[in-house]
Amino acid sequence: MKNHSLNKMSVVSVLSAMLLQACSVQDDQLAMPVKQVDDVEQKIKSIMSTMTLEQKIGQMLQPEIRSITPAEVEQYHIGSILNGGGAFPANNKHASIQEWVALADEYYHASMSRKPGRTPIPIIWGTDAVHGHNNVIGATLFPHNIGLGAANNPALIEKIAQITAKEVAVTGIDWTFAPTLAVVRDDRWGRTYESYSEDPAIVKTYAKSMVQGLQGRASDAFSSNHIVATAKHFVGDGGTEFGDDQGNTQLSESELFKIHAQGYYTALDADVQTVMVSYSSWNGQKMHGQKYLITDVLKNKMAFDGIVVSDWNGIGQVAGCTNDNCAAAINAGIDLFMVPDTWKTWIANTLSQVKSGIVPMSRIDDAVTRILRVKLRTGLFEAGAPSTRELAGRSELVGSTAHREVAKQAVRESLVLLKNNNDTLPLSPELNILVAGEGADNIPMQNGGWTISWQGTGNVNGDFPGGSSIYQGIKDKVESAGGQALLSKDGHYITKPDVAVVVVGEQPYTEFLGDIQNLESLEFEQKNKKTLRLLQSLKEKGIPTVTVLLSGRPLWVNKEINKSDAFVAAWLPGTEGDAIADVLFKTNSGDVNHDFSGKLSFSWPGDACQSIVNVGDADYNPLFQYGYGLTYQDKHTVNLLSEKGAALLGCQLQSGKPKSPLLVDLTTSQWQVFIDSAAGQHTPVDHNEIITPDVTVKPDQTGMSVTANFNPNSQSTISIRSDELVNLLPYLAHNATLNWLVRVNSPFKGNVKARIDCGLPCSGDVDITDALQRNSVGEWQTLSIDLACYVPGTDLRKVISPFVITASDALSINLAGGSINIADKPADIQCAK
Ligand code: BGC
Ligand code: BGC
């Protein structure tokens, strides 16, 4: 894009930001002078005077490339498009840079068509370049924001943003939906890694650096090296109760702004051109319908004069709205509508709402004015077709050595050393190193979500040309120094190694699919302690271990820390895995190569249920404090940590704060286990083992679970019953799942069914054989079953027992209750509604 002076605006906004910072966020003290440049405003007026209502409404849309053709862009006067996570030219994940540019050209030319009845207005294409240009094969992918927060280096952040802007510009795309300015307070949120810090201070500083790097500073703003940035998600996305994705942030206005809006002040100060609205609610009302915060506060008081864009189908969540019909969101002040697929009916509905006066014409004019203002101000009108722009198609810039060097620096600076007993690190590169664990040679895992695909799943190392795994870096280091690196995922070896580097962590996830649910805690591998077993076996063999944790959030890893000599939180470092070895290993001459400098930007939990622990809390008591991080100069010993993990039933029992599930807790008097015989005999299981011809049931010492051993051809069932009838019908409307915590104790044949009973002849059942068979014997498993599976034959209003289990052959199984849960994840066992 071409140069366009923003100097005047910048002065005004600096002054207003100073004003802002000096005062409270409420009241008219928030007032900021409106920043506008005369010639731009004149041009907007003259363009608007040629536009019909249909053209204006088309400008306000942002469909997704999978759901709109260039011809439709021309026909419907569409103002913007996006590619969602995992959307590529021609649906080809390996699309070349030239193919990206060619597609951008097609949409651009469609938007500039001069057919009669059209006003040519350049289209603006947005993408989620949230840790580098992460939808494009071969791009430089940086650590996710949580790692950048630990690096706490604003100058580095600006460089990262500049590189991201360049790589995006190479593909002919104009705009990124970044930075995320969430200040995450409950680490169970699946988007914790998209946040720089739990503390507003880092977010506030970084917001400015990021926007300056992406858009350019005033002197070179929107030169061909830059793209448009987005401050998202306005506002309170990181403050939802229970860390629920798209949940509710319950706070006073001043707390909301003090904690969650700090990044917006600095982003606006750096002239961010767009703001994306949050899926979340503020005090029970969806942000997408929040006129007060969007119009009165953001647009009027904070004087934001750019584009307010909605999130992906976010308008459909406003009360009374659907994805293609939401006057309330327009009237609340949203200007550009990310309606990825149902955009045609959105046009029809919006047209009729304007005609009937439900949406005032003045609101449409304001929205289009802002869209044109951003397009004019950023030079899009003069930029020409994407392929003609300075950086377009220069594929040598994508993933260039220079760019990767900056990413490697970011990786090194993001690492936080949590434990280094007996100076285990740095390692000599002359040693014989065992490199173990699922993450050791796993570039997809290093990258987490928002990587090529939306969830970051379905990728292999080969999808990252130019990138490197952690193992690769170790191998290069030690082989050049005469040492050896043996890669063995499960830790097996023939020659005993001098030391083991174990790389483990979370599998990729994005958004709600990464939420930690009610019955789960922050405990790492709670149900299958495979890393712990690996560390234990290495310890037994006397091999010192260095554990490198790849994760999108702090996790409760006390047991694993105890079994490791050194422990590194590496977050989600991106494509440059080899940079980790720069810090773990000495130089060939035995000096420290790169020391650790990363410091926790998120407090580290001291127990598995401590998901809400933030610096400044009145009862602040983390395991490792905000700002903690050892260096090679520190002689600090981490003593044996408490190993009391989460209860089998998870955390809410301890915190006394259930979300909204119905808990089936065997330790309470409400719930009781019964053996029900075919002859109609019901035997309660209390404290003792009960042996019947069909089945033996034994409660465990805690009372939280029972072991049930079914004999072959058993006619009996085991049920968990409530002392009163339970009404499950209201849960049905919320896609509820029944989640049962079970453990199969030995291999079994035959079928197993889970039933709901509501009194004869009322019941429904689901075959759970396959789901049980999929899990390892001896491991706890949460079996989630769609409530809808039970609908045929069941009166959900009067359930006696939500969990009745039968087996057609011998089966030994442990049952530990569970919950009936409002679903935000697809169930293991699903049924058509
Ligand atoms: C996310 C946004 C993202 C958008 C477009 C939404 O689901 O919440 O952060 O920018 O999708 O992919
Ligand atoms: C898109 C993402 C988007 C998500 C929202 C996916 O299909 O690819 O970009 O954020 O849907 O649910």
Side-chain angles (χ1 to χ4, degrees), residues 79-118:
S80 181
I81 46 164
L82 87 147
N83 65 305
F88 320 99
N91 267 323
N92 171 17
K93 123 173 178 180
H94 291 275
S96 67
I97 300 296
Q98 309 310 330
E99 286 165 323
W100 283 94
V101 178
L103 186 61
D105 262 7
E106 281 186 50
Y107 284 116
Y108 173 85
H109 289 306
S111 73
M112 296 303 280
S113 147
R114 289 172 186 280
K115 275 202 186 142
R118 288 197 90 267

Short mmCIF file of all heavy atoms in Angstrom, two decimals, residues 79-118:
data_model
loop_
_atom_site.label_atom_id
_atom_site.label_comp_id
_atom_site.label_asym_id
_atom_site.label_seq_id
_atom_site.Cartn_x
_atom_site.Cartn_y
_atom_site.Cartn_z
N GLY A 79 -17.46 -5.51 0.09
CA GLY A 79 -16.36 -4.63 0.50
C GLY A 79 -15.14 -5.34 1.03
O GLY A 79 -14.03 -4.79 1.03
N SER A 80 -15.31 -6.58 1.50
CA SER A 80 -14.19 -7.24 2.16
C SER A 80 -14.38 -8.76 2.11
O SER A 80 -15.51 -9.24 2.00
CB SER A 80 -14.10 -6.78 3.62
OG SER A 80 -13.02 -7.40 4.27
N ILE A 81 -13.28 -9.47 2.18
CA ILE A 81 -13.34 -10.93 2.32
C ILE A 81 -12.32 -11.34 3.37
O ILE A 81 -11.43 -10.56 3.72
CB ILE A 81 -12.99 -11.67 0.99
CG1 ILE A 81 -11.74 -11.04 0.35
CG2 ILE A 81 -14.16 -11.71 0.04
CD1 ILE A 81 -11.10 -11.89 -0.71
N LEU A 82 -12.47 -12.58 3.86
CA LEU A 82 -11.43 -13.13 4.72
C LEU A 82 -11.17 -14.57 4.31
O LEU A 82 -12.00 -15.19 3.63
CB LEU A 82 -11.85 -13.09 6.20
CG LEU A 82 -12.66 -14.28 6.76
CD1 LEU A 82 -12.30 -14.52 8.21
CD2 LEU A 82 -14.15 -14.04 6.63
N ASN A 83 -10.02 -15.05 4.71
CA ASN A 83 -9.81 -16.50 4.69
C ASN A 83 -9.73 -16.92 6.15
O ASN A 83 -8.91 -16.43 6.91
CB ASN A 83 -8.54 -16.90 3.91
CG ASN A 83 -7.26 -16.40 4.53
OD1 ASN A 83 -7.11 -15.20 4.77
ND2 ASN A 83 -6.34 -17.30 4.83
N GLY A 84 -10.64 -17.78 6.55
CA GLY A 84 -10.61 -18.29 7.93
C GLY A 84 -9.44 -19.23 8.09
O GLY A 84 -8.75 -19.57 7.12
N GLY A 85 -9.23 -19.68 9.34
CA GLY A 85 -8.16 -20.65 9.57
C GLY A 85 -8.41 -21.89 8.73
O GLY A 85 -9.49 -22.45 8.77
N GLY A 86 -7.42 -22.28 7.93
CA GLY A 86 -7.58 -23.49 7.12
C GLY A 86 -8.27 -23.25 5.79
O GLY A 86 -8.70 -24.20 5.15
N ALA A 87 -8.39 -21.99 5.36
CA ALA A 87 -8.94 -21.71 4.03
C ALA A 87 -7.82 -21.24 3.12
O ALA A 87 -7.05 -20.36 3.49
CB ALA A 87 -10.04 -20.66 4.10
N PHE A 88 -7.73 -21.85 1.96
CA PHE A 88 -6.61 -21.55 1.04
C PHE A 88 -7.16 -21.37 -0.37
O PHE A 88 -8.25 -21.85 -0.67
CB PHE A 88 -5.62 -22.72 1.02
CG PHE A 88 -5.37 -23.35 2.35
CD1 PHE A 88 -6.02 -24.53 2.72
CD2 PHE A 88 -4.50 -22.76 3.25
CE1 PHE A 88 -5.79 -25.11 3.95
CE2 PHE A 88 -4.27 -23.34 4.49
CZ PHE A 88 -4.91 -24.52 4.84
N PRO A 89 -6.36 -20.77 -1.26
CA PRO A 89 -6.78 -20.71 -2.67
C PRO A 89 -7.08 -22.13 -3.16
O PRO A 89 -6.31 -23.06 -2.91
CB PRO A 89 -5.55 -20.14 -3.38
CG PRO A 89 -4.85 -19.34 -2.32
CD PRO A 89 -5.08 -20.09 -1.04
N ALA A 90 -8.21 -22.29 -3.80
CA ALA A 90 -8.64 -23.57 -4.36
C ALA A 90 -8.61 -24.70 -3.33
O ALA A 90 -8.41 -25.86 -3.66
CB ALA A 90 -7.80 -23.94 -5.59
N ASN A 91 -8.79 -24.35 -2.06
CA ASN A 91 -8.80 -25.35 -0.99
C ASN A 91 -7.53 -26.18 -0.93
O ASN A 91 -7.54 -27.30 -0.42
CB ASN A 91 -9.98 -26.29 -1.15
CG ASN A 91 -11.16 -25.79 -0.36
OD1 ASN A 91 -10.98 -25.25 0.74
ND2 ASN A 91 -12.34 -25.94 -0.92
N ASN A 92 -6.45 -25.63 -1.45
CA ASN A 92 -5.20 -26.38 -1.49
C ASN A 92 -4.26 -25.84 -0.43
O ASN A 92 -3.72 -24.74 -0.56
CB ASN A 92 -4.59 -26.24 -2.90
CG ASN A 92 -3.18 -26.81 -2.96
OD1 ASN A 92 -2.77 -27.58 -2.08
ND2 ASN A 92 -2.44 -26.43 -3.98
N LYS A 93 -4.02 -26.64 0.59
CA LYS A 93 -3.19 -26.16 1.69
C LYS A 93 -1.77 -25.85 1.23
O LYS A 93 -1.09 -25.02 1.80
CB LYS A 93 -3.28 -27.17 2.84
CG LYS A 93 -2.05 -27.79 3.38
CD LYS A 93 -2.44 -28.61 4.61
CE LYS A 93 -1.21 -29.31 5.17
NZ LYS A 93 -1.49 -30.11 6.36
N HIS A 94 -1.35 -26.50 0.14
CA HIS A 94 0.00 -26.23 -0.38
C HIS A 94 0.01 -25.19 -1.50
O HIS A 94 0.96 -25.13 -2.28
CB HIS A 94 0.65 -27.54 -0.83
CG HIS A 94 0.98 -28.43 0.35
ND1 HIS A 94 2.14 -28.30 1.07
CD2 HIS A 94 0.27 -29.40 0.96
CE1 HIS A 94 2.13 -29.17 2.06
NE2 HIS A 94 1.00 -29.85 2.02
N ALA A 95 -1.04 -24.38 -1.55
CA ALA A 95 -1.10 -23.33 -2.58
C ALA A 95 0.20 -22.52 -2.56
O ALA A 95 0.73 -22.21 -1.49
CB ALA A 95 -2.29 -22.41 -2.30
N SER A 96 0.67 -22.17 -3.75
CA SER A 96 1.93 -21.40 -3.82
C SER A 96 1.65 -19.92 -3.54
O SER A 96 0.50 -19.47 -3.59
CB SER A 96 2.54 -21.55 -5.20
OG SER A 96 1.69 -20.90 -6.14
N ILE A 97 2.73 -19.19 -3.30
CA ILE A 97 2.59 -17.74 -3.09
C ILE A 97 1.91 -17.11 -4.31
O ILE A 97 1.04 -16.26 -4.18
CB ILE A 97 4.00 -17.12 -2.89
CG1 ILE A 97 4.69 -17.74 -1.67
CG2 ILE A 97 3.91 -15.60 -2.79
CD1 ILE A 97 4.02 -17.49 -0.35
N GLN A 98 2.31 -17.57 -5.51
CA GLN A 98 1.72 -17.00 -6.73
C GLN A 98 0.22 -17.25 -6.76
O GLN A 98 -0.55 -16.41 -7.23
CB GLN A 98 2.37 -17.60 -8.00
CG GLN A 98 3.89 -17.58 -8.02
CD GLN A 98 4.49 -16.22 -7.69
OE1 GLN A 98 3.88 -15.18 -7.96
NE2 GLN A 98 5.67 -16.20 -7.07
N GLU A 99 -0.20 -18.40 -6.25
CA GLU A 99 -1.64 -18.68 -6.26
C GLU A 99 -2.40 -17.79 -5.28
O GLU A 99 -3.53 -17.37 -5.55
CB GLU A 99 -1.89 -20.17 -5.96
CG GLU A 99 -1.54 -21.04 -7.17
CD GLU A 99 -1.40 -22.52 -6.87
OE1 GLU A 99 -0.88 -22.90 -5.77
OE2 GLU A 99 -1.78 -23.33 -7.74
N TRP A 100 -1.77 -17.49 -4.15
CA TRP A 100 -2.40 -16.54 -3.22
C TRP A 100 -2.55 -15.17 -3.90
O TRP A 100 -3.61 -14.55 -3.86
CB TRP A 100 -1.56 -16.37 -1.94
CG TRP A 100 -1.67 -17.51 -0.96
CD1 TRP A 100 -0.85 -18.58 -0.86
CD2 TRP A 100 -2.66 -17.67 0.08
NE1 TRP A 100 -1.25 -19.41 0.17
CE2 TRP A 100 -2.36 -18.87 0.77
CE3 TRP A 100 -3.76 -16.92 0.50
CZ2 TRP A 100 -3.11 -19.34 1.85
CZ3 TRP A 100 -4.50 -17.38 1.59
CH2 TRP A 100 -4.18 -18.59 2.24
N VAL A 101 -1.48 -14.72 -4.53
CA VAL A 101 -1.53 -13.40 -5.17
C VAL A 101 -2.56 -13.39 -6.29
O VAL A 101 -3.34 -12.44 -6.43
CB VAL A 101 -0.14 -13.00 -5.72
CG1 VAL A 101 -0.20 -11.66 -6.43
CG2 VAL A 101 0.90 -12.97 -4.59
N ALA A 102 -2.59 -14.48 -7.06
CA ALA A 102 -3.53 -14.53 -8.19
C ALA A 102 -4.97 -14.45 -7.68
O ALA A 102 -5.81 -13.76 -8.27
CB ALA A 102 -3.31 -15.81 -8.99
N LEU A 103 -5.24 -15.13 -6.56
CA LEU A 103 -6.61 -15.08 -6.03
C LEU A 103 -6.93 -13.66 -5.53
O LEU A 103 -8.03 -13.14 -5.73
CB LEU A 103 -6.77 -16.11 -4.90
CG LEU A 103 -8.21 -16.25 -4.38
CD1 LEU A 103 -9.16 -16.71 -5.48
CD2 LEU A 103 -8.27 -17.23 -3.20
N ALA A 104 -5.94 -13.05 -4.87
CA ALA A 104 -6.15 -11.68 -4.40
C ALA A 104 -6.46 -10.76 -5.59
O ALA A 104 -7.33 -9.89 -5.51
CB ALA A 104 -4.92 -11.19 -3.64
N ASP A 105 -5.76 -10.96 -6.68
CA ASP A 105 -6.01 -10.16 -7.89
C ASP A 105 -7.44 -10.36 -8.39
O ASP A 105 -8.12 -9.40 -8.75
CB ASP A 105 -5.04 -10.58 -9.01
CG ASP A 105 -3.84 -9.63 -9.10
OD1 ASP A 105 -3.71 -8.75 -8.20
OD2 ASP A 105 -3.03 -9.77 -10.04
N GLU A 106 -7.87 -11.61 -8.41
CA GLU A 106 -9.22 -11.88 -8.92
C GLU A 106 -10.28 -11.13 -8.12
O GLU A 106 -11.18 -10.52 -8.67
CB GLU A 106 -9.53 -13.38 -8.84
CG GLU A 106 -8.90 -14.19 -9.96
CD GLU A 106 -9.38 -15.63 -9.89
OE1 GLU A 106 -10.61 -15.86 -9.81
OE2 GLU A 106 -8.51 -16.54 -9.87
N TYR A 107 -10.16 -11.21 -6.79
CA TYR A 107 -11.15 -10.50 -5.97
C TYR A 107 -11.02 -8.99 -6.15
O TYR A 107 -12.00 -8.26 -6.19
CB TYR A 107 -10.98 -10.88 -4.49
CG TYR A 107 -11.52 -12.25 -4.15
CD1 TYR A 107 -10.68 -13.27 -3.70
CD2 TYR A 107 -12.88 -12.52 -4.24
CE1 TYR A 107 -11.18 -14.52 -3.37
CE2 TYR A 107 -13.40 -13.78 -3.91
CZ TYR A 107 -12.53 -14.78 -3.47
OH TYR A 107 -13.05 -16.00 -3.15
N TYR A 108 -9.77 -8.53 -6.24
CA TYR A 108 -9.55 -7.09 -6.41
C TYR A 108 -10.19 -6.59 -7.70
O TYR A 108 -10.94 -5.62 -7.71
CB TYR A 108 -8.04 -6.80 -6.40
CG TYR A 108 -7.72 -5.36 -6.72
CD1 TYR A 108 -7.73 -4.38 -5.72
CD2 TYR A 108 -7.42 -4.96 -8.02
CE1 TYR A 108 -7.46 -3.05 -6.02
CE2 TYR A 108 -7.15 -3.64 -8.33
CZ TYR A 108 -7.17 -2.69 -7.33
OH TYR A 108 -6.90 -1.38 -7.63
N HIS A 109 -9.89 -7.27 -8.81
CA HIS A 109 -10.43 -6.81 -10.09
C HIS A 109 -11.96 -6.84 -10.07
O HIS A 109 -12.60 -5.95 -10.62
CB HIS A 109 -9.87 -7.65 -11.24
CG HIS A 109 -8.42 -7.37 -11.51
ND1 HIS A 109 -7.96 -6.09 -11.75
CD2 HIS A 109 -7.33 -8.16 -11.55
CE1 HIS A 109 -6.64 -6.11 -11.94
NE2 HIS A 109 -6.22 -7.37 -11.80
N ALA A 110 -12.52 -7.85 -9.42
CA ALA A 110 -13.98 -7.91 -9.32
C ALA A 110 -14.50 -6.67 -8.60
O ALA A 110 -15.49 -6.05 -9.01
CB ALA A 110 -14.40 -9.18 -8.58
N SER A 111 -13.80 -6.28 -7.54
CA SER A 111 -14.28 -5.13 -6.75
C SER A 111 -14.13 -3.82 -7.53
O SER A 111 -14.84 -2.86 -7.27
CB SER A 111 -13.52 -5.05 -5.41
OG SER A 111 -12.19 -4.61 -5.60
N MET A 112 -13.17 -3.79 -8.45
CA MET A 112 -12.90 -2.55 -9.20
C MET A 112 -13.66 -2.49 -10.53
O MET A 112 -13.43 -1.57 -11.32
CB MET A 112 -11.39 -2.42 -9.45
CG MET A 112 -10.58 -2.25 -8.18
SD MET A 112 -11.10 -0.84 -7.18
CE MET A 112 -10.28 0.47 -8.07
N SER A 113 -14.51 -3.47 -10.75
CA SER A 113 -15.24 -3.51 -12.02
C SER A 113 -16.02 -2.21 -12.22
O SER A 113 -16.64 -1.68 -11.29
CB SER A 113 -16.18 -4.72 -12.01
OG SER A 113 -17.34 -4.43 -12.74
N ARG A 114 -15.98 -1.72 -13.45
CA ARG A 114 -16.69 -0.46 -13.76
C ARG A 114 -17.96 -0.71 -14.55
O ARG A 114 -18.44 0.17 -15.27
CB ARG A 114 -15.76 0.45 -14.55
CG ARG A 114 -14.65 1.01 -13.69
CD ARG A 114 -13.61 1.77 -14.49
NE ARG A 114 -12.52 2.14 -13.60
CZ ARG A 114 -12.55 3.17 -12.76
NH1 ARG A 114 -13.61 3.95 -12.72
NH2 ARG A 114 -11.53 3.42 -11.96
N LYS A 115 -18.49 -1.91 -14.39
CA LYS A 115 -19.76 -2.19 -15.07
C LYS A 115 -20.79 -1.14 -14.67
O LYS A 115 -20.74 -0.61 -13.55
CB LYS A 115 -20.28 -3.56 -14.62
CG LYS A 115 -19.70 -4.70 -15.42
CD LYS A 115 -20.62 -5.91 -15.31
CE LYS A 115 -19.98 -7.11 -15.98
NZ LYS A 115 -20.23 -8.34 -15.24
N PRO A 116 -21.76 -0.87 -15.56
CA PRO A 116 -22.78 0.12 -15.21
C PRO A 116 -23.44 -0.22 -13.87
O PRO A 116 -23.67 -1.40 -13.58
CB PRO A 116 -23.80 0.02 -16.36
CG PRO A 116 -23.09 -0.70 -17.45
CD PRO A 116 -21.94 -1.45 -16.88
N GLY A 117 -23.70 0.79 -13.08
CA GLY A 117 -24.35 0.57 -11.80
C GLY A 117 -23.39 0.20 -10.69
O GLY A 117 -23.81 -0.13 -9.59
N ARG A 118 -22.09 0.25 -10.96
CA ARG A 118 -21.11 -0.08 -9.91
C ARG A 118 -20.24 1.12 -9.60
O ARG A 118 -19.89 1.90 -10.49
CB ARG A 118 -20.19 -1.22 -10.37
CG ARG A 118 -20.85 -2.58 -10.43
CD ARG A 118 -19.80 -3.68 -10.48
NE ARG A 118 -19.41 -4.15 -9.14
CZ ARG A 118 -18.42 -3.72 -8.42
NH1 ARG A 118 -17.63 -2.78 -8.86
NH2 ARG A 118 -18.17 -4.22 -7.22
#
